[in-house]
Amino acid sequence: MKSAQYRVPNDAVENRARFITRPKFHCNSICTIPFAKLFLLLSLMALFAFRATAQNAPPPPPPPAPAAPEPAPPGPLLTEKQLENLVSRIALYPDPLLAQILTASTYGNEIPEAAAWADEHSNLKGEVLANAIREDNLQWDPSVLALIPFPSVLDIMAKDPAWTEQLGNAVLVQRGDVMDAVQRLRKQARKYGYLQTNPYCNVVEADGYVEILPVNPAYIYVPYYDPFVVFGPPAPGFFVGGAIRWGPAVIITAGFFPFGWVHPYFLWREHTIYFDRTPWSRVWVNRGYYVHPYAHQWVWRAGPRVEVHPGPHRR
C-alpha cells in the first residue's frame, strides 16, 4: 500500500495559474475604459482652461491715486491792524449777536439769499417769524437762520460780500486773533467813554475782558455807530453819550432756540464761541462737513424750500 501524498486542490492550482498568466497592467489600458476616458478628457480641458485664464487675466488695477492735499487758506494771515479794521463795524455788538455774526460769516454763500428772505418778511416778528422759517422749510445753516430776525445785519453782510468772506475766513483760520481784535477795540471805546452800561446792555469787565451783555437775554438791541469816532479820543466838547445809537428791540422767542439762541456766549480767554453749552468747532479743515450739535437741533423737512409766507411786496 502506497503512502498517502499531499495533493493541492484543483481550485487552488487553477487560481494560481490564472494569477501567473494574467496580463500585466499598463497605463495605456485606462483608455480602454469609457468612464476613464471621460475623466481624462475633462481633466485635460480644465488644465487648458486654467492656463488660458491665467494667461488672459487682466492686470491688477493701479494703486489708488494719492488724495489731493487740502487747499491752503486763502492769502496770508491778517495783521492786528487789519483784523481791527475788519471787525470794527461789529465789535460793539452784544456778545450773543456777535457770536451769531461771526459763525454765520463762515457761510457767506448763504447770506445774500437769507438777507433777501429776511427783508421780504421784515413785517413778521417773534414767534410768527420763527414759524414762518419752519413752514417755509428754509435750509440755510442755523447760524444764518439765527440772523433772520436782524434784517439790517444780514443786509450789511449781503451788500459787502468781500468783507463777509474775509471775516468768515478769519474766523475759520484766526479765530483767536479775531476775538483779541474785538477786545482791543472794546477797551478803546470804553477808555474814551463811548462804551458804557445803559438801558440796552450791560458792559462788564471780567478777567481783563470786556463783555457786552443784554439787560434781558430775550431782547437784543443792535447798536449803530461810526468806527472812526468811537475807537479814538473824542474831540473837545464832543458828547460821547450820543456816539452809539440803539435800534428797536428784537425779541428772541423759544422758536429761535434751534438756531443757537438758548445761550450763545464767549469764553474770551480760551478764544471759544459757545452755543447751547457746546463749543463751536468749525475751522478751515472741517468746514465742509462740520455740523454743530445744537441742544435743540434744527431738522429740515424732506424736500426743497417752499414759499408759504409771501413777503409784503408780493401778491
Side-chain angles (χ1 to χ4, degrees), residues 239-274:
F239 176 57
V240 296
I244 302 176
R245 297 174 294 104
W246 299 86
V250 176
I251 302 175
I252 302 299
T253 63
F256 295 98
F257 286 176
F259 315 134
W261 277 110
V262 175
H263 184 36
Y265 65 98
F266 292 93
L267 284 185
W268 292 99
R269 184 179 299 278
E270 288 77 10
H271 296 144
T272 307
I273 307 173
Y274 274 79

Side-chain angles (χ1 to χ4, degrees), residues 117-177:
W117 192 96
D119 182 62
E120 292 173 355
H121 299 80
S122 59
N123 61 313
L124 305 179
K125 308 294 181 181
E127 203 66 19
V128 176
L129 177 59
N131 290 334
I133 293 173
R134 181 168 50 255
E135 292 174 5
D136 283 14
N137 201 31
L138 303 184
Q139 301 185 17
W140 305 306
D141 185 80
S143 63
V144 176
L145 296 174
L147 293 180
I148 285 182
F150 304 88
S152 62
V153 174
L154 281 174
D155 189 58
I156 292 173
M157 301 174 73
K159 288 183 175 179
D160 195 348
W163 173 81
T164 301
E165 181 182 10
Q166 189 177 36
L167 178 63
N169 291 339
V171 171
L172 292 175
V173 180
Q174 297 178 256
R175 185 171 311 155
D177 297 333

Side-chain angles (χ1 to χ4, degrees), residues 98-109:
L98 179 63
Q100 302 286 10
I101 294 173
L102 293 182
T103 55
S105 68
T106 67
Y107 296 91
N109 61 312

